[in-house]
Structure formats: C-alpha cells, structure tokens
C-alpha cells in the first residue's frame, strides 16, 4: 500500500514536470535572463489544486506568470514559478444577440481576439495584438483604443494560494479601474486566475472613440466595419506605433498615464500651452509619453537599455540589459518627470 502511494506521488510530480533552476529568458518579453528556483507548467485547474495541496509546496512563495509581457525581472525568483497554461475556449450560452464564453487563463489573448473576429463577434477587436495571456487580462484590466476588458467581462475563476480553494469573482468584486483591479491591490499575489467568462456581441458594435482610430475608419461604410476589419486596422496602428517585442525586448508602456488636477494642468499650460490632455470622471489624464518625450528621453540609450525611438513610454532592452539596469533607467526618467512637471509616474509593469 505504502509503495503504491509513493509511486503515485512520484508519477504525479513527474507529470507536473517541475524544473529546478529554470531560465526565464523565454518567459518575459524584456528578454531578461534570470532563473526560477522551481518552475512548473500548469494545464488544468485540477492539476493546479493538486500541486498546491502537496506538502512540499504549501509554505513556499509562489509567483504566477503568463506571457511575461508586463513584468520586469530584477532578480532570480525564489520559491515556485507557476506558468499558467490552462487552455480552451468554450461557448457557455448563445442567443441571437450575444455569446457567453469561458476561456482558459493560458490561452494567448490575441488568439482569443482572432477567434472572436473570425466568428464575427464584437467586443474585443479593439484589444487586438495586446501580448500575453487571457489569465493576466483582468490583473490590470487590459485596455486599448477606447475599450477595456471590463466592458465585456462577466466573471472569473481563481484559486486561492493559501486555502487552495476555487472562488468565482463577479465583475463588481474585481474592482476594475484604469490599468487596475483588486488583484493589483488587496488581493495582489493571493490568487491564480484559471478561467475568465466574457460576453461578446453578435450585433455590430463599433467603438471609434479613440482619436486616430476614427480617421482610419471613416472611409468605410457601416456594413464594411466588421470586427475583422477593425482588428486589421488596430493591428496597423499598433505596428506603426509600438516596438515589436520579438525584435526588441520591451513590456509596452512602462508607466501608466497619470491623472492630474485642474490646478496642475493650468500651471503646466503656462510653460507648455500645447500639452495634450483628456478629461475623464476622475480628473485630467496626460499622456506620459508626451512628458517623457518633452524631456528628450525618446531614443535615449544607456549601455544595454534605452527609451524606444518609436514611443517614449516604452523602455527597451538592446539585448544584454539586466532587470536592475532597466529599473535604474526607469527611476531616472521618473525623477526627471517629477522635477520638471511635479507629476509622479506610476509603473504599469510589475517589478519582480
Ligand atoms: P505577465 O507579464 O506574465 O504577468 C503580468 C502580471 O499578472 C504579473 O503580476 C503576474 O504575476 C500576473 N499574472 C499573470 N497571469 C496570472 C494569472 N493567471 N493569475 C494571477 N496572476 C497572473 N497592456 C494593455 O493593457 N494595453 C495595451 O495596449 C498593451 N500593449 C502592450 C504592447 C506591448 C508591445 C507589450 C509588450 C505589452 C503591452 N501591454 C498592454 C501589457 C501586457 O501585454 C498586458 O498587461 C498583458 O495582460 C500581460 O499578460 P501576460 O500573460 O504577459 O502577463
Ligand atoms: N506621445 C508623445 N511621444 C511619444 C508617444 C506618445 O508625445 O513618443 C504623446 C502624443 O501626444 C500621443 C499621446 O502621447 O498623441 C498618446 O500616445 P498613444 O496614442 O501612443 O497612447 P499612449 O497613451 O501612449 C495608451 C496605453 C497603451 C494603449 C494605447 C492605445 C497606457 C499607459 N498606455 O498609450 O497601452 O495601447 O494608449 O489605447 O495607458 C500598455 O499598456 O502597455 C500599452 C501599450
């Protein structure tokens, strides 16, 4: 009996394929070469719960990664790195107006968008080409071109890293905001998201609220504006603006766009009457890219890293930079922006 049990245990661990001292070079778009003390690739919710219940993993620190497109690795990762690869897109409900789908956290976000536009569904086409996994999409409530995940989101399934129990979070419980959610605050690093449930429309809904997009789309008739066409235009815009992480290491916008008050805007306008700004419910949003470009950082290179020539909000790795070098550069930019504009930039990227 004992022998059988121990055999089972060994088999189970080998199925899980836990790797020691695993390089994370292939697992982050900044191309930083640090190691995970232990690394595991998870393919189902059941496997994840079984793994977490194993005595040897109960007390050690766990770090979750998806596509690694919003992390900056500054040191080797202690404990266990869990790479979430739960697959599957499942239609739960469908009527003449919409479909409700459940998607595994390990699905590549842009594959989901491509799947949806091929079926002529509407809702996430403006979020085309955002790198990374579905499981990370609620963490910062991904957004682009006037749309955020929260606009289609219904609920998610996640496993608590302390109790190992599965919990369903309704939309209101996720506390979504601009590049924000409860998983970046009170519940930071406390849950592994395993599946998300979203609702997509079968009826045409076109969101051209983002400046620049409307221009690209105005020559098309309403009938021509399929989600597939919008996706192709978003891909064109993004390819023109943002550096491709397959060519040069980066994690997209390094900082969030700051929100400032009217008084500060008026002060800034005194010296910079051309400063772009957008008013919203919580204040006035200023593009961080503009602030950084104004201080002449765009295209700046410092040894192995620098600021993208294409976009001032994107820090790039020219090949050999360490996470610490990139962090140092980002802090210099932050300090400079504060000194000149009295604006405190907040990192969008998770620093690990
Ligand atoms: P990772 O980088 O692996 O992880 C990000 C964070 O989420 C980490 O803290 C990690 O611990 C946590 N996490 C990941 N998966 C899970 C899970 N299953 N459960 C719990 N926690 C988890 N973002 C936008 O919002 N809009 C954009 O337009 C955009 N453009 C980008 C363009 C480029 C070129 C790049 C490189 C990045 C861009 N991003 C953008 C940022 C990034 O793509 C998103 O934040 C994406 O959701 C990150 O997914 P990921 O799987 O790579 O997450
Ligand atoms: N700008 C400059 N110089 C630059 C870049 C931008 O002056 O080098 C100024 C321009 O005035 C431009 C404005 O900034 O009009 C806005 O630039 P852009 O349209 O490129 O958008 P962004 O505000 O820099 C945000 C998101 C992106 C998202 C796009 C489209 C944040 C932090 N970033 O960028 O998200 O794709 O809008 O919606 O909100 C990401 O999160 O990683 C990301 C890439």
């Amino acid at each position: 009996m004992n022998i059988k049990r121990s055999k089972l245990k060994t088999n189970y661990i080998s199925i899980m394929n836990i790797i020691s001292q695993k390089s994370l070079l292939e697992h982050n778009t900044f191309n930083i070469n640090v190691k995970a003390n232990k690394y595991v690739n998870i393919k189902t919710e059941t496997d994840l719960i079984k793994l977490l219940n194993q005595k040897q993993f109960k007390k050690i620190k766990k770090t979750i990664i998806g596509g690694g497109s919003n992390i900056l690795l500054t040191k080797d990762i202690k404990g266990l790195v869990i790479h979430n690869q739960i697959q599957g897109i499942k239609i739960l409900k469908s009527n003449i107006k919409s479909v409700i789908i459940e998607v595994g956290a390990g699905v590549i976000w842009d594959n989901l968008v491509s799947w949806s536009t091929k079926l002529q569904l509407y809702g996430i086409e403006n979020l085309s080409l955002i790198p990374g996994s579905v499981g990370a999409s609620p963490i910062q409530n991904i957004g682009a071109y006037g749309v955020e995940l929260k606009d289609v989101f219904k609920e998610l399934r996640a496993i608590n890293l302390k109790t190992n129990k599965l919990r369903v979070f309704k939309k209101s419980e996720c506390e979504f905001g601009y590049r924000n959610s409860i998983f970046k605050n009170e519940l930071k690093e406390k849950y592994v998201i395993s599946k998300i449930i979203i609702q997509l429309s079968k009826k045409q809904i076109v969101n051209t609220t983002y400046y620049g997009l409307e221009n690209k789309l105005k020559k098309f008739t309403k009938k021509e504006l399929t989600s597939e066409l919008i996706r192709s235009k978003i891909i064109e815009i993004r390819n023109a603006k943002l550096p491709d992480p397959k060519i040069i290491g980066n994690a997209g916008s390094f900082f969030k766009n700051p929100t400032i008050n009217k008084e500060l805007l008026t002060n800034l306008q005194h010296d910079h009457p051309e400063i772009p700004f957008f008013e919203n419910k919580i204040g006035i949003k200023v593009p961080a890219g503009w602030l950084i470009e104004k201080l002449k950082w765009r295209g700046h290179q410092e040894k192995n890293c620098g600021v993208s020539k294409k976009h001032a909000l994107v820090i790039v790795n020219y090949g050999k930079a360490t996470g610490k070098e990139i962090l140092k550069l980002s802090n210099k930019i932050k300090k400079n922006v504060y000194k000149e504009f009295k604006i405190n930039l907040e990192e969008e990227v998770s620093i690990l």
Side-chain angles (χ1 to χ4, degrees), residues 144-145 178-179 210-211 241 253 255 257 287 293 311-312 348:
Y145 301 98
Y178 161 66
R179 298 291 188 276
Y210 197 88
Y211 58 92
K241 275 193 178 184
S253 302
F255 300 104
N257 284 330
E293 162 139 24
H311 202 295
E348 174 186 311

Side-chain angles (χ1 to χ4, degrees), residues 7 56 92 104 118 123 136 151 168 193 203 310 321 325:
K7 255 193 178 169
Q56 69 193 105
L92 299 180
K118 282 197 182 98
D151 303 331
V168 172
I193 295 170
K203 307 259 177 212
K310 264 182 145 177
E325 272 178 87

Side-chain angles (χ1 to χ4, degrees), residues 29 64-71 84 105 130-133 135-137 139-140 142-144 179 191-193 238 242-243 245 250-252 348 350:
T29 60
I64 320 302
I65 58 162
S69 64
N70 214 23
I71 52 175
N84 197 322
I130 297 183
S133 63
S137 64
I139 302 287
Q140 71 161 7
I142 55 168
R179 298 291 188 276
Y191 279 87
V192 187
I193 295 170
R238 293 184 68 99
L242 293 164
N250 76 84
E348 174 186 311
S350 299

Side-chain angles (χ1 to χ4, degrees), residues 30-92:
F30 256 129
N31 302 333
I32 307 287
N33 195 6
V34 299
K35 287 194 207 96
N37 183 32
K38 298 261 184 258
Y39 165 96
V40 67
N41 200 321
I42 286 293
K43 297 215 165 59
T44 67
E45 276 177 352
T46 321
D47 277 359
L48 177 56
I49 293 168
K50 279 186 188 159
L51 173 94
L52 295 173
N53 276 325
Q54 283 183 31
K55 211 171 155 198
Q56 69 193 105
F57 296 120
K58 280 226 161 107
K59 289 226 164 91
I60 66 168
K61 180 169 165 49
K62 284 132 199 136
T63 304
I64 320 302
I65 58 162
S69 64
N70 214 23
I71 52 175
L72 175 64
L73 298 164
T74 59
K75 52 182 177 307
D76 288 343
I77 308 286
K78 290 189 182 135
L80 177 67
V81 168
I82 301 176
H83 186 189
N84 197 322
Q85 296 229 290
I86 299 171
Q87 298 299 315
I89 304 177
K90 192 164 134 195
I91 297 182
L92 299 180

Side-chain angles (χ1 to χ4, degrees), residues 164-255:
N164 306 339
K165 296 258 179 327
L166 193 124
R167 175 175 160 190
V168 172
F169 287 82
K170 298 276 175 214
K171 180 174 168 176
S172 60
E173 294 172 301
C174 295
E175 298 178 10
F176 289 128
Y178 161 66
R179 298 291 188 276
N180 209 0
S181 76
I182 194 163
F183 305 103
K184 279 191 118 179
N185 297 296
E186 294 102 282
L187 299 186
K188 191 173 171 174
E189 293 170 4
K190 297 223 168 11
Y191 279 87
V192 187
I193 295 170
S194 54
K195 288 177 185 176
I196 71 165
I197 289 122
I198 59 173
Q199 183 163 24
L200 300 175
S201 174
K202 289 186 181 175
K203 307 259 177 212
Q204 184 190 36
I205 302 172
V206 180
N207 184 329
T208 58
T209 50
Y210 197 88
Y211 58 92
L213 182 57
E214 196 166 16
N215 256 349
K216 278 244 166 202
L217 298 180
K218 68 181 175 210
K219 65 173 182 225
F220 297 98
T221 62
K222 186 167 185 273
K223 212 174 157 199
E224 285 170 328
L225 288 178
T226 59
S227 50
E228 190 90 352
L229 179 111
I230 295 164
R231 169 171 168 76
S232 72
K233 295 296 156 194
I234 295 277
I235 290 175
E236 268 176 31
I237 299 175
R238 293 184 68 99
N239 281 336
K241 275 193 178 184
L242 293 164
D244 180 352
K246 286 196 195 91
I247 297 170
I248 187 157
N250 76 84
S253 302
F254 196 90
F255 300 104

